[in-house]
Structures are given as C-alpha cells and as structure tokens.
C-alpha cells in the first residue's frame, strides 16, 4: 500500500524481540489452517515483506520452530508471542510478519482469508473479504 510508511517497527509483548521493516508491507492475509490455529490460539493475520528488508533490532528471546517440512515460525521464548513465518525451502526470500506485532498505525487491511476449509467451528468469517479453501492464489 502506498500509505505504508517507509519504515515500520514491531515486536513481541515482553520486548525481547524488536524488528524494523524497510519499505512497503504486504496487506494482511488471514490464515485459518491448523498450524496457524495451534500456534496463534485462533487464526493468524499476517503481513509480510522481503526478508532482506527486515532488520532484527533485538532478538535475545527469538526462537524458531519447524512447523512443517517447508516452513518455520519465529516466536518469543519468553512471552510466547508469535512473530514470524518463513519458508525453509529455497532462499528464504520472504518473511511473513504477524500483523498484531506491528506498531500501529499499520495502514494495512485484511485482503484475503486462506485455508478456510481448515478453520475451527466456533466463529464465522463475515467481513466480506475474499476467501479461499486452501492456499493464497
Ligand atoms: Zn517476548
Ligand atoms: Zn496457516
């Protein structure tokens, strides 16, 4: 989005992890897959940026968990905050950033719901944003 500031910052609840992102952030994709459900406690809402644009300002408590054979998730080992998702295949050129960890205002919008076929049954997606049963297109 053109309204995204040139530099964005964010971090976890306890402050053990802080990061800065240069340039535009992707609009938010909400992922309802089982892995996102179980790590976030609900569904994930993730922005993201080229990995090269992300600088870790503080990473004392940052830990990575291999959540599948093709991706890993960055979280704070002290406060438990979910921060990042990145593919472990290829060049790791992309990092998704959990949108709630960005310092507001983000000027972002949710643009898509993905893996809605895997969502849990206790909520309804009713925001009018496009949905796909599986991966983003
Ligand atoms: Zn923390
Ligand atoms: Zn997911």
């Amino acid at each position: 989005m053109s309204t995204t500031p040139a530099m964005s910052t964010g971090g976890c609840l306890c402050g053990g992890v802080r990061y800065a992102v240069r340039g535009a952030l992707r609009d938010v994709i909400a992922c309802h897959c089982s892995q996102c459900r179980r790590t976030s406690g609900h569904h994930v809402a993730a922005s993201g940026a080229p990995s090269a644009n992300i600088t870790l300002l503080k990473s004392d408590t940052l830990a990575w968990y291999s959540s599948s054979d093709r991706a890993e998730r960055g979280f704070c080992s002290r406060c438990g905050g979910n921060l990042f998702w990145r593919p472990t295949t290829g060049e790791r050129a992309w990092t998704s950033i959990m949108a709630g960890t960005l310092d507001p205002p983000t000027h972002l919008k949710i643009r898509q719901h993905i893996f809605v076929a895997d969502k849990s049954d206790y909520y309804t997606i009713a925001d009018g944003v496009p949905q796909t049963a599986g991966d983003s297109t």
Side-chain angles (χ1 to χ4, degrees), residues 10-113:
C12 67
L13 177 60
C14 76
V17 183
R18 291 289 302 169
Y19 60 84
V21 188
R22 269 182 294 114
L25 291 163
R26 187 196 66 193
D27 263 336
V28 176
I29 292 178
C31 183
H32 302 262
C33 82
S34 62
Q35 291 170 12
C36 287
R37 283 197 277 109
R38 292 189 187 281
T39 55
S40 71
H42 185 33
H43 67 74
V44 153
S47 178
S51 301
N53 290 2
I54 301 172
T55 305
L56 289 171
L57 306 173
K58 223 179 151 209
S59 57
D60 304 350
T61 57
L62 180 61
W64 291 90
Y65 172 70
S66 294
S67 51
S68 75
D69 57 5
R70 58 187 196 95
E72 60 188 1
R73 292 164 191 267
F75 65 99
C76 175
S77 61
R78 184 164 57 203
C79 71
N82 295 197
L83 292 144
F84 305 118
W85 176 98
R86 67 185 178 190
T88 50
T89 55
E91 297 175 359
R92 303 187 186 201
W94 178 263
T95 300
S96 290
I97 302 167
M98 304 314 165
T101 67
L102 288 161
D103 300 329
T106 67
H107 304 289
L108 299 172
K109 282 195 167 78
I110 294 180
R111 77 170 189 203
Q112 192 179 16
H113 292 276

